[in-house]
Amino acid sequence: EMLYMHGGNKSIISSNATIFSATHYPIVGFDNCYGAGDGTLSQEDAALATARQLRLINPNVKNTFYWKFKLDSQVSECSSAKNIWGQHPEWWISNYGNASSSKGGESHHYYDFSNPAVRTFWKNHLLSLAYEMDGGATPSRPLFDGFFIDGFGPVANNCESINIDPSLKSSYCEGARAMVAELQTELDFLGFDQLVVINGMDSVATVAVNAEVSPASMVDHFAIIQFLNHKTGEWLYEPMR
């Protein structure tokens, strides 16, 4: 079972909820803008504070941090990195032929993964969280055991559904794949079994590419579940209607 703190909770969960979570679930995830709804805390600070409390109650609980892959709605609204992001409009990429991408009635931009500086920013921000240690643990271990990366699926399909300048798509896709793979490599180097978990196992292409860049994928789209040919071991794509 996994408890997933979803959406822009306006404050850190209560003490009772923290106790319940730590004693009932082996994995707790901090979703988009958790604890940052009123602007007092960033999502990172809110998640770190709750992760420490969970570990005090249950040293074995695994904490995971959610991060949007391609859209800047998280980093620009509730992240501790929003000021750095806001200072670099050259890192932004808009929908091709439009001002920006729209989500929830608000306009946002894509990360420009064709730009090496953007890839460094994106990867290093998550690494900074990976280095946050649980000082109360013996031996000491990171507070976050993994990172859920949402929205990676289009990269596996050569970015066909990402509406950006066609001349950027090749470098965008190649850069994005390398960036996520490098993140996992650097996590492996730390030696604490932290995982990059990619969302979007919804086609043969995404399964294959996810396996290339990350050791774990999250099954989020339950309408498509027939993947493996039990006779040949080959991957199939058979949407269930």
Side-chain angles (χ1 to χ4, degrees), residues 32-184:
N32 185 31
C33 290
Y34 164 76
D38 62 2
T40 302
L41 294 173
S42 67
Q43 176 182 352
E44 291 84 353
D45 288 340
L48 285 166
T50 305
R52 288 190 179 94
Q53 292 301 312
L54 290 165
R55 286 277 183 79
L56 286 174
I57 300 165
N58 179 5
N60 296 317
V61 71
K62 292 186 180 297
N63 297 307
T64 63
F65 188 84
Y66 171 97
W67 193 243
K68 285 184 180 294
F69 170 69
K70 66 182 186 293
L71 196 63
D72 77 345
S73 58
Q74 182 179 13
V75 72
S76 66
E77 292 178 3
C78 59
S79 171
S80 59
K82 68 179 181 181
N83 290 335
I84 296 174
W85 177 253
Q87 293 168 9
H88 291 278
E90 73 276 14
W91 291 356
W92 310 347
I93 187 168
S94 298
N95 267 12
Y96 187 57
N98 296 288
S100 62
S101 175
S102 178
K103 186 175 179 66
E106 299 178 355
S107 294
H108 300 287
H109 296 88
Y110 292 127
Y111 294 96
D112 182 3
F113 292 127
S114 68
N115 184 337
V118 176
R119 300 196 296 268
T120 298
F121 164 80
W122 190 99
K123 181 184 70 175
N124 285 352
H125 182 64
L126 294 186
L127 284 175
S128 71
L129 295 173
Y131 297 145
E132 290 283 348
M133 302 300 287
D134 179 0
T138 305
S140 183
R141 57 186 276 226
L143 281 164
F144 291 123
D145 299 278
F147 298 92
F148 278 94
I149 308 303
D150 195 15
F152 186 81
V155 172
N157 294 303
N158 297 316
C159 300
E160 291 179 2
S161 63
I162 297 179
N163 191 25
I164 60 176
D165 188 331
S167 67
L168 293 177
K169 286 193 176 184
S170 178
S171 58
Y172 177 101
C173 282
E174 291 174 7
R177 293 179 186 182
M179 176 187 69
V180 175
E182 288 169 8
L183 173 61
Q184 183 61 64

Side-chain angles (χ1 to χ4, degrees), residues 192-206:
F192 292 101
D193 296 324
Q194 294 160 295
L195 295 179
V196 175
V197 183
I198 296 176
N199 185 23
M201 275 184 54
D202 53 7
S203 73
V204 171
T206 55

